[in-house]
Amino acid sequence: FLETVKINKQIKILKPSQKIYFKIDKKKSLKIIEFRIEINKKKEIYFVRDFNIEKFYSNILEKELKKIVTYKESKITNSLYQTAVNLKIEPNIIIEFARLYGFQIDFQRDIWKNDSFQIIYEEFLNKDKEIIETGNIIFANLNLQNKDHKLYRHEFDKNKIDYFDENGKSMRKTLMKTPI
């Protein structure tokens, strides 16, 4: 097992709490028949023993994830971040949402209590319906003092993606309202 793991280039190091699944033959002598190691949330390596030459062969398996489009909306009661966390929006989506609006909204001065937001984004679920990863924000709206600030995602090709307002104006600007 250890020799097989050492020579496999996909596994650089075994990490704490990384899951490894074993299938063991207990009939004759204790031998590992096969094992799987999770590389990340989307991939695992599957090893099978060849008893003729006493080595393991491996295959990389992509886990089947189902993409769903999720819609969430709420009034901002305390802070945008806390309201989004209470809706069970993943932190990386909240950060991306704030980054997209960072060019036009000052999050320290422009957001007031009872402003609201709407967001449509992608989530990837495993077979147990657990969120494994999030994808892109497809649409976002930040309603501040009854004024909508809508963003629409547009993909030109695989490498060029941008966000635009309802008039087709790009959201990319040179200076952020609230510097990082």
Side-chain angles (χ1 to χ4, degrees):
F1 166 76
L2 290 175
E3 289 303 315
T4 302
V5 170
K6 275 187 205 175
I7 61 172
N8 193 295
K9 291 176 178 44
Q10 293 289 330
I11 307 169
K12 298 200 178 18
I13 188 166
L14 293 176
K15 300 172 207 94
S17 75
Q18 186 174 10
K19 292 182 181 174
I20 303 173
Y21 303 92
F22 291 97
K23 186 174 183 182
I24 299 173
D25 180 5
K26 294 182 180 180
K27 289 180 184 172
K28 299 173 188 164
S29 62
L30 282 175
K31 280 195 176 180
I32 299 171
I33 297 171
E34 62 188 45
F35 63 96
R36 288 182 292 131
I37 299 176
E38 285 187 342
I39 299 172
N40 57 40
K41 293 177 179 179
K42 292 169 42 174
K43 287 184 184 177
E44 61 186 18
I45 300 181
Y46 178 66
F47 295 89
V48 178
R49 182 186 292 268
D50 182 337
F51 286 100
N52 296 326
I53 57 174
E54 289 299 318
K55 281 192 174 185
F56 287 93
Y57 290 103
S58 66
N59 285 322
I60 295 178
L61 303 175
E62 295 275 340
K63 294 182 181 179
E64 269 190 53
L65 300 178
K66 180 180 179 186
K67 179 170 91 169
I68 62 165
V69 176
T70 302
Y71 173 77
K72 303 269 175 110
E73 71 174 314
S74 183
K75 278 190 176 177
I76 300 169
T77 53
N78 187 357
S79 71
L80 173 66
Y81 186 85
Q82 193 56 54
T83 302
V85 166
N86 292 344
L87 284 174
K88 295 186 173 47
I89 298 174
E90 296 290 318
N92 59 325
I93 291 290
I94 303 166
I95 291 165
E96 179 66 9
F97 182 86
R99 187 189 70 74
L100 291 173
Y101 282 105
F103 293 102
Q104 66 186 55
I105 305 296
D106 181 341
F107 285 90
Q108 295 170 341
R109 295 184 196 98
D110 292 343
I111 296 181
W112 295 17
K113 187 176 182 176
N114 292 325
D115 285 342
S116 64
F117 69 92
Q118 296 85 34
I119 184 170
I120 299 173
Y121 61 97
E122 301 166 330
E123 290 180 323
F124 294 91
L125 309 179
N126 66 10
K127 62 182 185 234
D128 299 324
K129 298 193 189 294
E130 298 169 321
I131 299 170
I132 298 300
E133 191 170 81
T134 55
N136 300 304
I137 294 175
I138 298 167
F139 168 80
N141 182 39
L142 195 50
N143 184 286
L144 306 177
Q145 289 87 56
N146 292 320
K147 183 177 181 218
D148 286 324
H149 300 273
K150 296 178 182 179
L151 296 178
Y152 299 88
R153 181 178 191 274
H154 181 73
E155 189 172 329
F156 299 97
D157 58 44
K158 290 234 184 250
N159 298 325
K160 189 155 189 220
I161 297 162
D162 206 349
Y163 287 84
F164 298 89
D165 66 11
E166 62 268 16
N167 297 317
K169 195 165 106 182
S170 174
M171 290 294 101
R172 272 190 220 287
K173 295 180 181 152
T174 54
L175 296 174
M176 295 182 84
K177 283 268 192 164
T178 308
I180 296 174

